[in-house]
mmCIF file of all heavy atoms in Angstrom:
data_model
loop_
_atom_site.group_PDB
_atom_site.id
_atom_site.type_symbol
_atom_site.label_atom_id
_atom_site.label_comp_id
_atom_site.label_asym_id
_atom_site.label_seq_id
_atom_site.Cartn_x
_atom_site.Cartn_y
_atom_site.Cartn_z
ATOM 1 N N GLU B 39 52.360 -1.321 -0.713
ATOM 2 C CA GLU B 39 52.014 -2.609 -0.099
ATOM 3 C C GLU B 39 51.280 -2.451 1.219
ATOM 4 O O GLU B 39 50.289 -3.139 1.484
ATOM 5 C CB GLU B 39 53.287 -3.426 0.148
ATOM 6 C CG GLU B 39 53.683 -4.318 -1.003
ATOM 7 C CD GLU B 39 54.874 -5.165 -0.611
ATOM 8 O OE1 GLU B 39 55.763 -4.668 0.117
ATOM 9 O OE2 GLU B 39 54.912 -6.337 -1.031
ATOM 10 N N ILE B 40 51.813 -1.596 2.045
ATOM 11 C CA ILE B 40 51.237 -1.436 3.377
ATOM 12 C C ILE B 40 49.992 -0.564 3.332
ATOM 13 O O ILE B 40 49.144 -0.619 4.208
ATOM 14 C CB ILE B 40 52.287 -0.812 4.334
ATOM 15 C CG1 ILE B 40 53.531 -1.692 4.373
ATOM 16 C CG2 ILE B 40 51.709 -0.643 5.717
ATOM 17 C CD1 ILE B 40 54.520 -1.298 5.420
ATOM 18 N N GLY B 41 49.876 0.208 2.274
ATOM 19 C CA GLY B 41 48.757 1.140 2.199
ATOM 20 C C GLY B 41 48.978 2.266 3.186
ATOM 21 O O GLY B 41 48.063 2.716 3.867
ATOM 22 N N TYR B 42 50.221 2.694 3.245
ATOM 23 C CA TYR B 42 50.586 3.733 4.207
ATOM 24 C C TYR B 42 50.015 5.094 3.824
ATOM 25 O O TYR B 42 50.094 5.506 2.677
ATOM 26 C CB TYR B 42 52.117 3.809 4.293
ATOM 27 C CG TYR B 42 52.634 5.048 4.959
ATOM 28 C CD1 TYR B 42 52.557 5.202 6.331
ATOM 29 C CD2 TYR B 42 53.197 6.067 4.205
ATOM 30 C CE1 TYR B 42 53.034 6.342 6.946
ATOM 31 C CE2 TYR B 42 53.680 7.213 4.809
ATOM 32 C CZ TYR B 42 53.594 7.355 6.179
ATOM 33 O OH TYR B 42 54.068 8.484 6.770
ATOM 34 N N ARG B 43 49.410 5.758 4.806
ATOM 35 C CA ARG B 43 48.881 7.116 4.617
ATOM 36 C C ARG B 43 49.632 8.037 5.567
ATOM 37 O O ARG B 43 49.531 7.859 6.779
ATOM 38 C CB ARG B 43 47.400 7.195 5.000
ATOM 39 C CG ARG B 43 46.464 6.269 4.292
ATOM 40 C CD ARG B 43 46.006 6.849 2.992
ATOM 41 N NE ARG B 43 46.743 6.298 1.886
ATOM 42 C CZ ARG B 43 46.803 6.849 0.682
ATOM 43 N NH1 ARG B 43 46.234 8.006 0.442
ATOM 44 N NH2 ARG B 43 47.472 6.281 -0.288
ATOM 45 N N PRO B 44 50.370 8.979 5.072
ATOM 46 C CA PRO B 44 51.097 9.875 5.972
ATOM 47 C C PRO B 44 50.150 10.565 6.948
ATOM 48 O O PRO B 44 49.013 10.866 6.591
ATOM 49 C CB PRO B 44 51.752 10.884 5.029
ATOM 50 C CG PRO B 44 51.106 10.689 3.701
ATOM 51 C CD PRO B 44 50.570 9.305 3.670
ATOM 52 N N ASN B 45 50.592 10.789 8.130
ATOM 53 C CA ASN B 45 49.793 11.427 9.159
ATOM 54 C C ASN B 45 50.081 12.921 9.172
ATOM 55 O O ASN B 45 51.116 13.375 9.639
ATOM 56 C CB ASN B 45 50.153 10.807 10.505
ATOM 57 C CG ASN B 45 49.320 11.364 11.627
ATOM 58 O OD1 ASN B 45 48.875 12.502 11.558
ATOM 59 N ND2 ASN B 45 49.089 10.566 12.638
ATOM 60 N N ARG B 46 49.122 13.666 8.630
ATOM 61 C CA ARG B 46 49.356 15.097 8.483
ATOM 62 C C ARG B 46 49.393 15.812 9.827
ATOM 63 O O ARG B 46 50.002 16.877 9.957
ATOM 64 C CB ARG B 46 48.276 15.719 7.599
ATOM 65 C CG ARG B 46 48.741 16.989 6.935
ATOM 66 C CD ARG B 46 48.578 16.955 5.438
ATOM 67 N NE ARG B 46 47.217 17.143 5.015
ATOM 68 C CZ ARG B 46 46.757 16.760 3.831
ATOM 69 N NH1 ARG B 46 47.563 16.149 2.977
ATOM 70 N NH2 ARG B 46 45.514 16.968 3.496
ATOM 71 N N VAL B 47 48.736 15.233 10.808
ATOM 72 C CA VAL B 47 48.758 15.863 12.130
ATOM 73 C C VAL B 47 50.195 15.927 12.627
ATOM 74 O O VAL B 47 50.645 16.944 13.148
ATOM 75 C CB VAL B 47 47.883 15.067 13.126
ATOM 76 C CG1 VAL B 47 47.979 15.682 14.507
ATOM 77 C CG2 VAL B 47 46.446 15.032 12.659
ATOM 78 N N ALA B 48 50.930 14.838 12.430
ATOM 79 C CA ALA B 48 52.324 14.797 12.874
ATOM 80 C C ALA B 48 53.170 15.792 12.080
ATOM 81 O O ALA B 48 54.019 16.483 12.632
ATOM 82 C CB ALA B 48 52.877 13.384 12.720
ATOM 83 N N THR B 49 52.930 15.849 10.790
ATOM 84 C CA THR B 49 53.673 16.797 9.959
ATOM 85 C C THR B 49 53.447 18.225 10.451
ATOM 86 O O THR B 49 54.383 19.004 10.610
ATOM 87 C CB THR B 49 53.209 16.691 8.489
ATOM 88 O OG1 THR B 49 53.298 15.333 8.088
ATOM 89 C CG2 THR B 49 54.068 17.566 7.593
ATOM 90 N N ASN B 50 52.179 18.544 10.687
ATOM 91 C CA ASN B 50 51.851 19.884 11.161
ATOM 92 C C ASN B 50 52.556 20.160 12.481
ATOM 93 O O ASN B 50 53.085 21.252 12.701
ATOM 94 C CB ASN B 50 50.339 20.009 11.364
ATOM 95 C CG ASN B 50 49.585 20.018 10.049
ATOM 96 O OD1 ASN B 50 50.162 20.264 8.998
ATOM 97 N ND2 ASN B 50 48.300 19.729 10.107
ATOM 98 N N MET B 51 52.543 19.168 13.333
ATOM 99 C CA MET B 51 53.184 19.294 14.634
ATOM 100 C C MET B 51 54.662 19.631 14.464
ATOM 101 O O MET B 51 55.180 20.578 15.052
ATOM 102 C CB MET B 51 53.030 17.958 15.354
ATOM 103 C CG MET B 51 53.968 17.757 16.494
ATOM 104 S SD MET B 51 53.461 18.762 17.867
ATOM 105 C CE MET B 51 54.122 17.758 19.184
ATOM 106 N N ARG B 52 55.301 18.857 13.639
ATOM 107 C CA ARG B 52 56.722 19.044 13.414
ATOM 108 C C ARG B 52 57.010 20.431 12.822
ATOM 109 O O ARG B 52 57.913 21.133 13.230
ATOM 110 C CB ARG B 52 57.177 17.926 12.462
ATOM 111 C CG ARG B 52 58.640 17.855 12.151
ATOM 112 C CD ARG B 52 59.472 17.814 13.400
ATOM 113 N NE ARG B 52 60.518 18.784 13.242
ATOM 114 C CZ ARG B 52 61.811 18.531 13.272
ATOM 115 N NH1 ARG B 52 62.237 17.336 13.569
ATOM 116 N NH2 ARG B 52 62.682 19.465 13.059
ATOM 117 N N ARG B 53 56.204 20.819 11.869
ATOM 118 C CA ARG B 53 56.415 22.097 11.192
ATOM 119 C C ARG B 53 55.908 23.277 12.024
ATOM 120 O O ARG B 53 56.063 24.426 11.633
ATOM 121 C CB ARG B 53 55.653 22.124 9.859
ATOM 122 C CG ARG B 53 56.175 21.195 8.801
ATOM 123 C CD ARG B 53 55.766 21.774 7.444
ATOM 124 N NE ARG B 53 55.680 20.756 6.395
ATOM 125 C CZ ARG B 53 56.711 20.209 5.791
ATOM 126 N NH1 ARG B 53 57.937 20.525 6.150
ATOM 127 N NH2 ARG B 53 56.532 19.310 4.830
#
Side-chain angles (χ1 to χ4, degrees):
Chain B
E39 270 185 323
I40 302 189
Y42 165 75
R43 303 275 100 198
N45 183 331
R46 204 125 76 201
V47 177
T49 307
N50 290 342
M51 162 74 152
R52 184 53 228 239
R53 292 205 205 284

